[in-house]
Amino acid sequence: QVQLVESGGGSVPPGGSLRLSCKASGLPSNTYTVNWFRQAPGKEREFVAGRRRSGTSEVYATSVKGRFTVSRDSAENAVYLQMNDLIPEDTAVYYCAAGRGLIVTSLQLSSQYNYWGRGTQVTVSS
């Protein structure tokens, strides 16, 4: 049974920081890559950050570049999202998702991911 479990969300003022965690278990092979998406109220789910596969560079959405950083711990099957300088527009439910065979043109498409976590709420408000 595949499980992706996000944690670390919360409510912070603008300029604050949060570190999200995603723990993966039960993935059918090590060819899956876990990346981050988010969905704000009334908006479509959007890619935040991630990579195509092991050994490739992390890619960031323009809106978070320079503020968010992905890190990975293969021994723990964990992926982290460090979010700094948060702004109200970052308010969303953040999801981690696992997909494989990702390429440059599909990396940011939610339809290419097979497994999803339940999400963790991030609220940025003064």
Side-chain angles (χ1 to χ4, degrees):
Q1 180 181 355
V2 176
Q3 279 195 314
L4 297 173
V5 181
E6 304 94 339
S7 62
S11 183
V12 296
S17 297
L18 284 172
R19 185 178 188 240
L20 305 184
S21 300
C22 173
K23 299 291 181 69
S25 61
L27 287 170
S29 79
N30 60 7
T31 60
Y32 280 86
T33 301
V34 177
N35 293 327
W36 289 98
F37 285 76
R38 69 184 181 186
Q39 187 165 18
K43 295 189 176 181
E44 293 187 357
R45 193 168 297 187
E46 64 174 357
F47 174 84
V48 175
R51 66 186 185 186
R52 291 178 286 123
R53 62 180 185 277
S54 178
T56 61
S57 300
E58 305 287 353
V59 174
Y60 297 90
T62 302
S63 59
V64 308
K65 198 173 296 183
R67 300 187 298 120
F68 291 12
T69 303
V70 174
S71 60
R72 300 173 187 269
D73 185 336
S74 58
E76 295 291 329
N77 289 323
V79 183
Y80 305 97
L81 184 67
Q82 178 66 44
M83 306 187 297
N84 298 329
D85 298 323
L86 286 160
I87 60 178
E89 290 76 14
D90 294 320
T91 296
V93 178
Y94 284 71
Y95 300 90
C96 59
R100 63 177 178 176
L102 302 172
I103 59 177
V104 171
T105 53
S106 70
L107 170 66
Q108 304 189 27
L109 300 177
S110 59
S111 60
Q112 298 301 305
Y113 291 77
N114 305 94
Y115 304 103
W116 291 82
R118 293 190 174 188
T120 185
Q121 176 70 47
V122 171
T123 302
V124 184
S125 174
S126 55

